[in-house]
Amino acid sequence: MRINGLPGALEKSNVSSEDKRIIQTVLSSIQEIASDSGRGALSAIGDQRGMPWPKGIGDITIIPGDGASSCSSVLLAIADSSKRSGRSSPKAVMTKVQQAMIRCRGTLKAVIFIADPAAIGGEVEEHLPILEDSIHVGDIDIFLPVTIVGRRMTVLDWM
């Protein structure tokens, strides 16, 4: 399945080939779920502690799923703009992302932030300076804001 914008985003980044493979596998798995069940299925991923990824993918930290209590090279954050508060609200998810970026410095390399366009526009735009600085100083290699509209998944180009 094709994920709009992903090849270009990965090409412009300093992500290792192993982390690129993990990112592609994670997003492909999510796209399959979204294609089968629509956007509503994504809230189930965010609530699970560990998604059944294909074998050999390694650990993925999921927010709000495990609250980013562990550190892995790839963090998957899923926000729901229909939630004004609570652990899956865009503000709460982005706060957890920033906490994980600080706590997991040196381990975390890629952050995938999945949300609808309203959440991406609000939360990502508000935190762009911090995200840009984190990439610039090498704390993370890539931040991927991803939207799902209908059954189409798109990685937004923000840099």
Side-chain angles (χ1 to χ4, degrees), residues 60-80:
I60 306 295
T61 303
I62 299 176
I63 295 175
D66 59 14
S69 58
S70 63
C71 292
S72 63
S73 65
V74 177
L75 184 148
L76 172 63
I78 301 172
D80 184 348

Side-chain angles (χ1 to χ4, degrees), residues 16-136:
S16 70
S17 58
E18 175 62 16
D19 286 336
K20 284 180 184 178
R21 183 187 67 79
I22 293 170
I23 291 166
Q24 290 168 327
T25 303
V26 166
L27 289 178
S28 292
S29 297
I30 291 171
Q31 187 175 35
E32 286 180 33
I33 291 169
S35 293
D36 292 343
S37 307
R39 189 177 157 268
L42 292 177
S43 61
I45 296 169
D47 289 337
Q48 292 178 7
R49 181 172 171 79
M51 170 81 175
W53 307 113
K55 291 195 183 299
I57 194 170
D59 291 332
I60 306 295
T61 303
I62 299 176
I63 295 175
D66 59 14
S69 58
S70 63
C71 292
S72 63
S73 65
V74 177
L75 184 148
L76 172 63
I78 301 172
D80 184 348
S81 69
S82 69
K83 310 275 191 210
R84 300 268 186 239
S85 61
R87 63 190 217 122
S88 63
S89 71
K91 185 171 221 48
V93 169
M94 188 55 84
T95 298
K96 289 282 189 187
V97 166
Q98 289 181 307
Q99 290 170 343
M101 287 170 50
I102 293 167
R103 189 179 58 259
C104 299
R105 193 173 282 143
T107 302
L108 181 62
K109 298 298 177 193
V111 176
I112 304 167
F113 183 79
I114 298 179
D116 59 35
I120 295 270
E123 287 306 312
V124 172
E125 186 175 6
E126 184 176 320
H127 295 91
L128 277 180
I130 293 167
L131 297 168
E132 287 174 331
D133 287 347
S134 294
I135 291 171
H136 180 72

